[in-house]
Amino acid sequence: MVCIPFRRDDYKHIENVFGYRVQHTLTMGPTKGGIRYHEDVSLGEVSALAMWMTWKCALMQLPFGGAKGGVRIDPTDLSRSELQRLTRRYTMEIINVIGPDRDIPAPDMGTNEQTMAWIMDTYSQQVGRTVREVVTGKPVVLGGSLGRSEATGRGLVFLACKAAEYLNMKMSDCSAVVQGFGNVGSNAAKCLAENGAKIVGISDVSCGLHNPDGLNVAALLKHVAEHRVLKGFPGATEVTNRELLELDCDILAPCALQNQITEENASRLKCRILAEGANGPTTLEADRILQDKGVFVLPDIHGNAGGVTVSYFEWVQDTQNLSWTLEEINDRLHKIMTEAFQRTLTRAQRDGLDMRTAALIEGISRVAEAKLLRGLFP
Ligand code: GLU
């Protein structure tokens, strides 16, 4: 836990904010996970997210344990130079616990490629040479991987396609609702549309949009590029974020914050497939209701694992000084995501489990096996 003092742009005021970095499991190799900038970030939240990263990496069979970082601040409140000073000071405060063989940060909610570039630069300045492999999710010109920025959304849609195939549904007949239009939500919507699904609902912090005839994702992206938010997009009915989740659709993809699907609204969901792009969008109580309703769940630790998987590819490329083509990256991502789907489904069917429990057991048992094999020192 660190305190981050940084100057506001007037150079008169110094703000102090809390920062965190939690490393959950050191058994599997270096730790891995994003850094979140959000006003509600707390030690408890970051710890839960770090634990999910452990199970996620284990499920995908990546050589990492889980970690997560966070700064308790609203990044939209800060100028670019304030964000840069804050990021550099935060990096200095945690510099002894991160490193390419120790703990490798990445983007999460409220951070992006630029944040990663500042962290990489600060770390490199301190050790006296460029260390690209200390973070992933960097701009491509600084050693970032092709396909990393779309990877989480793309991976989620690879899984949605597998789930649809398993349920004998045709993607081109499916309607989809996506909650969130950040990195994960916008890329998920784009990939769903590319696979023939009709996007009938979408949302961001400003509002939700509904059009049963389908929303054009390219037009949504253009609107957000011009107006920053979805609000005001023509040709759709405005709905609240709550109403959005209850819209009629085949695939619902929550790609925003945690705790969105709860005991209160779970019974009103109308989707057939729940594709979790966010971390922890469904509460424990809601999960039981979804199971009774027969909703096919692609659980978060699998649904959003495309991001950390391509982060792993980025780290491998950086440590070996080579680069893969976009085609190679997407093919490898597809293989890893769908193999994990098959392993999870086989376990679920064999042991009579739901997909979330099966995915968790897949991840946890791998960590347990590794721990037992390493044994106790001395
Ligand atoms: N923040 C992302 C996640 O929750 C990506 C982590 C990473 O790439 O290391 O999975």
Side-chain angles (χ1 to χ4, degrees):
M1 238 194 322
V2 299
C3 176
I4 311 163
F6 71 99
R7 279 182 207 283
R8 296 305 294 246
D9 281 343
D10 60 11
Y11 268 71
K12 287 198 187 93
H13 294 97
I14 295 174
E15 195 117 10
N16 276 289
V17 293
F18 281 112
Y20 310 93
R21 184 74 187 168
V22 174
Q23 297 169 347
H24 175 255
T25 294
L26 307 179
T27 305
M28 311 303 288
T31 49
K32 185 89 194 78
I35 290 173
R36 173 173 290 204
Y37 287 179
H38 192 275
E39 68 261 40
D40 294 333
V41 157
S42 66
L43 185 59
E45 180 188 85
V46 177
S47 306
L49 289 161
M51 183 179 70
W52 278 322
M53 284 307 301
T54 298
W55 312 141
K56 191 187 303 186
C57 291
L59 172 64
M60 305 308 283
Q61 304 188 339
L62 308 178
F64 298 130
K68 200 73 153 203
V71 177
R72 192 177 170 85
I73 195 152
D74 176 3
T76 61
D77 225 30
L78 303 184
S79 70
R80 183 185 155 90
S81 48
E82 288 170 338
L83 271 174
Q84 178 167 180
R85 286 195 290 277
L86 170 87
T87 301
R88 288 187 183 277
R89 181 63 191 249
Y90 171 57
T91 309
M92 270 314 290
E93 295 292 338
I94 61 167
I95 203 145
N96 290 326
V97 300
I98 60 170
D101 303 315
R102 183 168 288 188
D103 180 12
I104 306 126
D108 197 82
M109 198 177 285
T111 57
N112 55 26
E113 290 189 350
Q114 179 60 76
T115 325
M116 296 307 114
W118 289 328
I119 296 177
M120 186 275 249
D121 184 71
T122 308
Y123 186 89
S124 298
Q125 300 280 347
Q126 293 305 310
V127 300
R129 68 191 160 83
T130 297
V131 185
R132 295 179 306 177
E133 60 275 28
V134 67
V135 286
T136 59
K138 297 178 293 293
V140 173
V141 70
L142 296 178
S145 177
L146 294 172
R148 172 61 184 88
S149 59
E150 315 90 81
T152 314
R154 188 182 299 277
L156 183 67
V157 177
F158 283 157
L159 289 186
C161 291
K162 283 299 275 186
E165 189 186 300
Y166 170 69
L167 298 169
N168 284 323
M169 293 158 66
K170 265 188 36 210
M171 241 349 197
S172 50
D173 297 334
C174 285
S175 58
V177 169
V178 180
Q179 184 196 35
F181 205 62
N183 172 281
V184 184
S186 62
N187 282 300
K190 213 165 109 191
C191 293
L192 280 165
E194 278 167 13
N195 279 279
K198 186 164 69 176
I199 310 296
V200 295
I202 192 106
S203 71
D204 69 1
V205 279
S206 71
C207 71
L209 298 172
H210 177 218
N211 185 344
D213 297 326
L215 294 152
N216 181 317
V217 181
L220 290 169
L221 286 165
K222 190 162 170 274
H223 182 87
V224 170
E226 280 164 17
H227 303 91
R228 222 174 51 86
V229 287
L230 286 172
K231 207 174 178 66
F233 182 79
T237 319
E238 241 189 63
V239 292
T240 64
N241 242 299
R242 296 271 113 212
E243 290 164 341
L244 183 97
L245 296 172
E246 296 166 24
L247 290 175
D248 217 341
C249 64
D250 298 300
I251 303 168
L252 173 64
C255 298
L257 276 170
Q258 55 264 41
N259 300 337
Q260 297 301 298
I261 299 159
T262 63
E263 195 173 15
E264 193 271 316
N265 63 2
S267 60
R268 294 195 297 276
L269 260 51
K270 301 192 182 65
C271 60
R272 182 77 186 83
I273 298 172
L274 180 70
E276 297 184 344
N279 286 306
T282 308
T283 66
L284 214 64
E285 296 78 14
D287 220 16
R288 244 163 259 142
I289 301 172
L290 297 179
Q291 222 176 299
D292 293 344
K293 278 168 67 86
V295 174
F296 189 88
V297 176
L298 293 165
D300 54 357
I301 60 162
H302 192 189
N304 65 36
V308 71
T309 303
V310 179
S311 271
Y312 164 63
F313 298 162
E314 180 171 331
W315 181 75
V316 169
Q317 291 172 88
D318 285 344
T319 38
Q320 302 192 9
N321 289 309
L322 49 81
S323 57
W324 300 343
T325 63
L326 182 59
E327 202 186 355
E328 268 175 294
I329 283 158
N330 288 340
D331 286 351
R332 285 175 202 254
L333 175 63
H334 185 265
K335 187 163 182 283
I336 293 185
M337 292 295 291
T338 51
E339 279 177 3
F341 177 86
Q342 208 46 60
R343 280 198 305 277
T344 307
L345 188 64
T346 306
R347 186 182 283 270
Q349 286 169 336
R350 190 192 64 202
D351 300 344
L353 301 168
D354 61 282
M355 287 295 274
R356 191 188 310 281
T357 310
L360 279 167
I361 293 177
E362 279 289 315
I364 294 169
S365 51
R366 191 173 163 88
V367 176
E369 188 189 346
K371 264 194 183 296
L372 285 170
L373 285 167
R374 282 186 66 158
L376 182 68
F377 175 83

